[in-house]
Structure formats: structure tokens, C-alpha cells
Amino acid sequence: MENITIRDIKVFVTAPRGINLVIVKVETSEPELFGYGCATFTWRHKAVVTAVEEYLCPMLKGKSVHNIEDIWQTMMGSSYWRNGPVLNNAISGVDEALWDIKGKLANMPLYSLLGGKAREGIAVYRHADGSCIEEVEECIRELQAEGYRYIRCHMGTYGGNFGGKRQQIVKPRGAENGAYYHPRMYMDSVIKLFDRVRSDIGWEIEVMHDVHERLSLSETLAFTKELEQFKLFFLEDSLSPEQANFYKYLREQTAVPFAMGELFTNPVEWIPIIQNQWIDFIRVHLSDIGGLTPAIKLANFCEAYGVRTAWHGPNDLSPIGMAAQMHLDMHCHNFGIQEFSGFNEAEEVVFPGCPVVNNGYAYVNDRPGIGVGFDEKEAAKYPAIEMNHSWLFSRLPDGTAVRP
Ligand code: GCO
Ligand code: MG
């Protein structure tokens, strides 16, 4: 096989929908051959850019593009301290770009390179949110009209947080600013919401909900017991990764299916909950674990334990990252569902070849590799922005800072 080497690695930050996306481009010794990968850690994007430019690029220049596994392992070990979100995202950018290049060399779309299709379309779910039940229901109906059958339902976003206003939260004197929420009010509002959704909209749709790490073990237990009657497709991130082992107690006491993992960065976090079958869906954020190479292994590991995939698909993920995981969705037998946050018009211009959705199913294109391009000139029209971090400063009524 002809040796093709890495000539240069570039990083771009662009915000076509007001969210900083980080894209890595790996250029090769063949002028027309390059690949793109997603390295989006939007809340620390500058650190990811530095990691790629200052560490990975100098280390990888001149290396053969063919041996992705060797490059991945080398990148992982090269900082000695590893498995953190900044470096994993940087690694993912290079890793996905190398898979893109591999597909181009093979002249195959990634799913085909991985072994071919296990299905023809990718079932996706969308989010319905609003400030009251009626608004959420309106949103659900709009999504149904567009053909979606899986809908994640929220009211007041994560933690039922209405900026602390609607909940009449009593705070102590001198309480810090923050995104206040009240666990009991939050849980009650979600139960009311699902009660109405099932009676007004019916049982035809599959529903899910994201707790976003807002509850304690005992709160989650009580919550799931009440939720059982609404037959959720899954309940997401009821506990934080730091408490992943507590899933044991949930599993023993409730029939609600669990999805977990968008914050995972280290295999020690997912191995026990999969091996013990405490969760039903793995939801890692691909770039946060280091890209496609570890995700393929993780998906196969999950298959052995009957755990299905539901990769994280928020809007702080580039269309390249979304397409990369959709190739896994096409290929992996144990695919479950794909979260999808849509693309706006600007993203579709900046990233030609975005996956398309029709009647609740997503489709990747059949171009070689990941199949999504990156128009550098168009991207430059949407330079990096200062993002609003305020929602991340989550607090309990007495002002205690908690996970967002
Ligand atoms: C989800 C999520 C996201 C995260 C976001 C953080 O889609 O399930 O929890 O919306 O909050 O990716 O930046
Ligand atoms: Mg989530």
C-alpha cells in the first residue's frame, strides 16, 4: 500500500448557529486527500484548539494515515495523564478525520467500511420543551406533523428551571446568582406533564426525559416509581457519572429503562454499568471519549450485554460529528435511537452533505468517508463567539452549587 502521510493538521472554530463548533482537518501528502473530524467541546473550545495545534499536530506530522489504531493509542498515551474531555475531544478531531480519509481511500461511505448496513434509516428523537404544558404539547404536535415518533419532553428545560421565577424558590439572604431549581417542584411538574401528554396526545409516541443529573438516588427512585405508568422509552442521566454505580439500586427497584453516558470520558465509568446491565442505552458523546475508534469498541462491548446505543446528539455537536455517529447507527446491530437537534440553514451551507431527515428517519449520504464537507470560507462568516455559560451554574434553593 502506498504510504500516505499526515502533512498538516488544522483546527477551525465556527458558530453558524450561535454555538462554537470545533472542526479538525487532517491534510495528507496527497494534495486532494484530507479528512474532517469533530472536536467540539463548546464550553472549553480554546483549550481543545491549543491541544490540537500545540501538541497533536507537531507529534503527528509525517506519520502514515493508514494506522488509525496506532495513532489513536499514541495520542492517548502521549500526555501520560489522559481520559479528560479536552484531550479526548482533540484526539477525536484527528481520529474522525483519519476515518474520513480511510473511507475516501476505500471509496466507501463509513458505514460500508465498517461492515455495511444493519438498517436502512436511523430512527431519531427530537426535543419538545415549553414553559407550560400547552406549549410542550404544541411542540409535540408540530414534531408529530413532521413525522417524528420519538419525542423527549421537558418543561422549563433541565431541572424544570424557569430561571427560578416560576417556582417561587425561597433563597437565603445573599444567595449567589445561578440557575436555581427545586427538585420536588421539578419532579411534580414532570409527572403532571407526562400525565397530560399521555391523556391529550396518547400512547402512539415514544417519550423520554432527561434528568440532567438533577436528582439524588432516593429522589430518582421515587420519581421513577411515579413515571413507570407513562411507559417511557428511557429516562436519561438520572444520576451523575460520579454516582454511576448507584444505578444498581435503581435497576433493582424500577422498570423504567435508563440511558446514561453523555458525560463519560473514561472507560472505567462505563464498564461496570454495562457489564452489570444497569442501563439500557449508552449515550456517550463521541468526541468526548476520543472519537470513532473507542466508540466502535464501546458499541461492540455493549452488544454483548444487550445494551443499545443512543449517542449524544445535542446542538453543541457539529454536523460532521453527527454524521460520524450516524454511520455507526447504520452499521451497529445494537443501535437503539439517535438524538437529533436539527441543523439550521447556515450549518447546511457551512457543512455540505449534512444528514437529512424524513418521516422520523435520518439518512447519511453515500459519499466516501463521513460524507460531510466543510466550507472554510462560509465558516469564516461565523467566527467564534462568547457563549453564555449562565445555565451551567445550577443551584439548589438554599444556594448550594450542584451539577448542571
Ligand atoms: C442532551 C444534553 C445536552 C447538554 C449539552 C451540554 O442533549 O441530552 O444533555 O443538551 O446539555 O450538550 O452542552
Ligand atoms: Mg442529556
Side-chain angles (χ1 to χ4, degrees):
M1 190 161 40
E2 188 197 345
N3 194 22
I4 299 172
T5 55
I6 297 176
R7 180 164 47 88
D8 200 6
I9 301 179
K10 294 181 173 147
V11 202
F12 303 87
V13 181
T14 180
R17 86 156 108 169
I19 293 171
N20 293 321
L21 304 174
V22 185
I23 306 302
V24 169
K25 180 182 190 186
V26 173
E27 295 178 346
T28 75
S29 47
E30 299 287 312
E32 300 299 312
L33 182 64
F34 49 83
Y36 291 112
C38 182
T40 301
F41 177 3
T42 204
W43 309 109
R44 292 292 183 273
H45 68 275
K46 291 176 192 166
V48 177
V49 171
T50 302
V52 175
E53 285 178 345
E54 303 288 331
Y55 298 105
L56 298 184
C57 176
M59 186 178 90
L60 297 177
K61 267 189 193 174
K63 277 201 179 280
S64 164
V65 297
H66 296 302
N67 304 323
I68 302 177
E69 182 67 29
D70 184 70
I71 292 182
W72 191 88
Q73 299 292 350
T74 308
M75 292 191 288
M76 241 321 154
S78 69
S79 56
Y80 187 61
W81 281 282
R82 55 191 174 271
N83 288 314
V86 172
L87 298 180
N88 281 0
N89 269 279
I91 289 170
S92 162
V94 174
D95 177 75
E96 292 186 0
L98 290 173
W99 279 102
D100 195 25
I101 290 170
K102 177 84 72 196
K104 289 175 180 173
L105 283 169
N107 198 24
M108 286 182 192
L110 189 60
Y111 70 77
S112 183
L113 189 70
L114 294 171
K117 294 180 196 176
R119 58 194 54 75
E120 293 299 324
I122 302 156
V124 294
Y125 73 85
R126 298 295 302 257
H127 304 170
D129 203 341
S131 61
C132 59
I133 292 177
E134 290 68 30
E135 267 181 41
V136 182
E137 289 189 338
E138 196 185 316
C139 191
I140 295 173
R141 290 203 172 92
E142 279 168 21
L143 290 169
Q144 280 185 298
E146 289 173 42
Y148 293 102
R149 293 171 295 281
Y150 295 81
I151 301 177
R152 204 180 77 180
C153 305
H154 282 265
M155 193 160 58
T157 321
Y158 304 128
N161 184 326
F162 295 90
K165 286 185 205 118
R166 298 178 128 249
Q167 297 179 334
Q168 297 141 355
I169 290 175
V170 182
K171 302 178 200 164
R173 276 199 305 271
E176 291 277 351
N177 286 336
Y180 280 76
Y181 75 103
H182 190 299
R184 164 57 51 209
M185 292 179 191
Y186 156 58
M187 290 187 283
D188 288 349
S189 73
V190 175
I191 301 297
K192 279 195 197 110
L193 172 67
F194 279 114
D195 195 30
R196 281 281 300 279
V197 166
R198 282 312 192 196
S199 57
D200 296 348
I201 310 259
W203 294 84
E204 240 95 278
I205 53 166
E206 294 281 5
V207 293
M208 13 324 222
H209 180 76
D210 186 358
V211 177
H212 225 264
E213 320 170 78
R214 301 294 171 114
L215 299 176
S216 68
L217 174 62
S218 53
E219 284 164 349
T220 306
L221 257 177
F223 191 44
T224 51
K225 284 185 187 297
E226 286 195 89
L227 283 174
E228 273 179 1
Q229 58 184 311
F230 306 118
K231 298 196 173 27
L232 264 60
F233 188 76
F234 63 59
L235 184 70
E236 176 183 335
D237 284 354
S238 25
L239 301 172
S240 67
E242 293 86 344
Q243 299 186 333
N245 287 350
F246 299 2
Y247 268 92
K248 174 181 193 294
Y249 305 106
L250 297 176
R251 195 54 149 183
E252 283 166 358
Q253 296 198 47
T254 174
V256 171
F258 290 113
M260 172 76 180
E262 69 182 56
L263 286 130
F264 288 166
T265 56
N266 187 325
V268 298
E269 293 170 310
W270 62 73
I271 290 170
I273 60 169
I274 294 166
Q275 270 182 325
N276 287 301
Q277 289 146 319
W278 291 334
I279 58 165
D280 300 86
F281 297 91
I282 187 77
R283 268 183 66 65
V284 303
H285 189 104
L286 250 66
S287 63
D288 220 32
I289 65 162
L292 280 160
T293 295
I296 295 164
K297 296 174 188 180
L298 172 56
N300 292 339
F301 179 64
C302 284
E303 186 179 343
Y305 293 97
V307 173
R308 293 192 283 162
T309 66
W311 308 124
H312 193 215
N315 46 20
D316 49 341
L317 169 75
S318 74
I320 292 169
M322 179 57 85
Q325 65 194 15
M326 282 184 168
H327 282 277
L328 293 188
D329 297 340
M330 288 294 283
H331 165 68
C332 293
H333 184 251
N334 57 324
F335 162 75
I337 189 82
Q338 178 60 61
E339 180 183 27
F340 182 62
S341 305
F343 305 119
N344 71 6
E345 279 175 30
E347 280 178 311
E348 283 174 353
V349 174
V350 173
F351 298 95
C354 283
V356 292
V357 175
N358 186 265
N359 211 18
Y361 288 112
Y363 301 90
V364 287
N365 64 53
D366 268 340
R367 288 178 210 155
I370 293 174
V372 178
F374 180 62
D375 188 324
E376 292 172 30
K377 278 205 188 111
E378 286 294 328
K381 292 184 188 165
Y382 308 97
I385 56 160
E386 275 309 313
M387 290 188 49
N388 177 0
H389 287 58
S390 61
W391 74 274
L392 292 162
F393 300 106
S394 207
R395 290 187 187 274
L396 292 175
D398 71 352
T400 306
V402 287
R403 302 286 188 264

